[in-house]
Amino acid sequence: MRVYVPLTLPALAEAHRTGELGSGPFVAYAVTPALREWYLSEDIEELEYAALGRAALASLRLLAADAGAVRRRVVVAVDVPDGAASADPDRALDPSALGEVTVAVSVPLVKAASVHLDADDAEADVAAAADALGAADGGDDDARFVVDGADDHELLWYATQEIPNLVGQG
């Protein structure tokens, strides 16, 4: 099963240093039945892109909680064994939990398939989105517009061999 793990650049640097993406249990995003129903598509590429988008929003939440992190969303795509990730049926209908799964196993970083990261030119919009997230969650439409502005930036795809350069250790 392909899962998308939301991170920040400091968390990616830590995963690179330790060699472990997560030690389980940790939250990731995947194509779940609820995500399929919400997205109304059977195209697996579209569904995986939607799961990646959910992980990007979760990365934005991590940035909002870490004022010192570089304002670039980070998502790592990794394949885990079937059964290693599961959706909480009690949260399946919660719109904020669409695509959310819990990965119950340790995942070595070498198992990662790719890294998705904002370009440098997204930093200002991502910073504004991280700052506006609390107000957007509270129902402020103007703040929601600012948060949605981060989605105007596509996450760039990187091979896992590029991780040392992404975290400044290459």
Side-chain angles (χ1 to χ4, degrees), residues 11-50:
L12 181 61
E14 178 67 10
H16 176 66
R17 187 185 67 71
T18 65
E20 189 169 74
L21 186 56
S23 58
F26 62 91
V27 172
Y29 292 80
V31 177
T32 63
L35 184 75
R36 282 180 188 274
E37 187 175 320
W38 170 74
Y39 199 73
L40 298 174
S41 175
E42 288 302 315
D43 183 316
I44 191 64
E45 288 183 14
E46 288 181 14
L47 291 166
E48 287 185 351
Y49 185 76

Side-chain angles (χ1 to χ4, degrees), residues 1-7 21 26-32 35 43-59 62 74-80 85 98-103 107 112-117 155-157:
M1 169 184 237
R2 170 76 41 106
V3 299
Y4 298 89
V5 181
L7 297 174
L21 186 56
F26 62 91
V27 172
Y29 292 80
V31 177
T32 63
L35 184 75
D43 183 316
I44 191 64
E45 288 183 14
E46 288 181 14
L47 291 166
E48 287 185 351
Y49 185 76
L52 173 67
R54 301 297 297 168
L57 177 58
S59 176
L62 294 173
V74 179
V75 176
V76 176
V78 62
D79 293 315
V80 298
L98 284 170
E100 186 179 285
V101 295
T102 300
V103 178
V107 178
S114 58
V115 177
H116 305 267
L117 175 71
L155 296 179
L156 302 178
W157 181 95

